[in-house]
């Protein structure tokens, strides 16, 4: 059986939920700025984080000393509607937060694995740790691009490897993901000051509770807990 799951913090609506998620993340960034003079934030893609990003963008931080990156990315340029970088830039890197420096995972390399190697080098150059991370979770239990039955899953979840970025092949026979991706691995999450898992809807709460008791070698939520990642789980029923 897996580790004991952290308490799920429940919010009455998505406004209070987004406010709380943004506050946790910007607080961690502020602490890092005070302690070290710089900070690194890693965010997720999809539609769920957009309201959180818009709140974070207005935070009174010295954004010029913050590096912003992604936990995962589709192997597409920012001009693609599938780009996580485009979503993050539109919603977070505006207003005061426009002063932050963006560190992309996507590079127009010959292969996704070469792009991943370039991203890993760039991310490690930011200091080797993440200060604040926003995670989402799919209804299949995936976080980052750690998909069930993916050939890269066990490597991404291996807690004893160095923090890195890996290429993730597209799934076969209809399995996810539909496009090649790039993903940070579990050891990056293990470096973090704070990780916020932001989930909405009854279905995803049920998935989280099920996955939390699973196998850390093959189930990402269980892996987070077994690796003692500093995880806050914030949930609202309203989608």
């Amino acid at each position: 059986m897996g580790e004991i799951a952290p308490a799920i913090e429940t919010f009455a609506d998505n406004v209070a939920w987004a406010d709380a998620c943004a506050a946790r993340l910007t607080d961690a960034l502020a602490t890092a700025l005070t302690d070290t003079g710089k900070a690194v934030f890693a965010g997720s893609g999809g539609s769920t984080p957009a309201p959180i990003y818009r709140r974070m963008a207005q935070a009174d931080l010295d954004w010029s000393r913050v590096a912003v990156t992604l936990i995962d990315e589709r192997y597409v340029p920012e001009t693609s509607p599938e780009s996580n970088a485009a979503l993050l830039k539109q919603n977070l890197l505006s207003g005061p937060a426009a002063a932050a420096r963006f560190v992309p995972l996507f590079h127009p390399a010959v292969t996704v694995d070469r792009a991943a190697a370039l991203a890993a080098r760039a991310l490690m150059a930011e200091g080797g740790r993440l200060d604040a991370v926003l995670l989402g979770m799919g209804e299949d239990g995936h976080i980052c691009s750690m998909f069930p039955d993916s050939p890269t899953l066990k490597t991404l979840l291996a807690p004893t490897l160095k923090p890195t970025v890996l290429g993730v092949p597209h799934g076969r026979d209809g399995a996810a993901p539909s496009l090649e991706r790039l993903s940070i691995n579990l050891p990056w999450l293990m470096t973090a000051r704070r990780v916020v898992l932001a989930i909405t809807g009854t279905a995803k709460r049920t998935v989280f509770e099920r996955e939390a008791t699973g196998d850390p070698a093959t189930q990402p939520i269980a892996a987070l807990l077994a690796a003692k990642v500093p995880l806050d789980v914030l949930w609202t029923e309203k989608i």
Side-chain angles (χ1 to χ4, degrees):
M1 299 294 286
E3 301 289 318
I4 297 174
I8 299 174
E9 299 180 54
T10 300
F11 295 86
D13 54 48
N14 51 14
V15 173
W17 168 85
D19 285 345
C21 291
R24 301 287 173 88
L25 295 164
T26 54
D27 178 68
L29 294 175
T31 299
L33 289 170
T34 298
D35 290 350
T36 68
K38 62 182 181 178
V40 181
F41 170 72
S44 62
S47 58
T48 299
I52 300 170
Y53 291 151
R54 288 193 290 269
R55 287 161 172 79
M56 290 180 66
Q58 301 305 314
D60 184 19
L61 296 176
D62 184 353
W63 286 101
S64 67
R65 294 188 289 146
V66 178
V68 172
T69 191
L70 288 156
I71 58 168
D72 70 340
E73 176 62 288
R74 297 174 180 90
Y75 186 47
V76 295
E78 287 181 31
T79 52
S80 169
E82 300 281 353
S83 170
N84 285 341
L87 177 141
L88 186 142
K89 285 187 172 183
Q90 290 162 11
N91 291 282
L92 177 60
L93 299 183
S94 62
R101 185 164 42 84
F102 183 62
V103 181
L105 297 187
F106 173 81
H107 294 79
V110 176
T111 68
V112 70
D113 291 328
R114 178 59 180 157
L118 294 172
R121 187 183 310 160
L123 198 52
M124 188 57 70
E126 296 301 327
R129 74 170 297 172
L130 304 175
D131 294 295
V133 180
L134 176 60
L135 291 180
M137 183 194 71
E139 291 194 5
D140 59 1
H142 85 266
I143 59 168
C144 303
S145 283
M146 302 170 181
F147 288 92
D149 302 320
S150 170
T152 58
L153 180 63
K154 287 190 176 181
T155 304
L156 284 167
L157 292 180
T160 57
L161 299 181
K162 293 180 180 179
T164 193
V165 179
L166 295 178
V168 178
H170 63 77
R172 296 181 178 178
D173 301 321
S178 59
L179 294 169
E180 290 180 309
R181 294 196 183 200
L182 305 113
S183 181
I184 65 170
N185 63 346
L186 177 66
W188 268 118
L189 299 175
M190 293 166 64
T191 72
R193 291 175 184 267
R194 172 168 281 168
V195 177
V196 171
L197 176 61
I199 53 177
T200 59
T202 302
K204 286 192 178 181
R205 180 170 183 142
T206 300
V207 169
F208 175 82
E209 292 171 340
R210 180 192 73 220
E211 294 287 311
T213 63
D215 180 356
T218 59
Q219 291 171 269
I221 296 299
L224 288 179
L225 302 178
K228 309 297 186 188
V229 170
L231 186 66
D232 293 352
V233 184
L234 278 62
W235 174 80
T236 181
E237 187 174 4
K238 308 297 184 183
I239 297 177

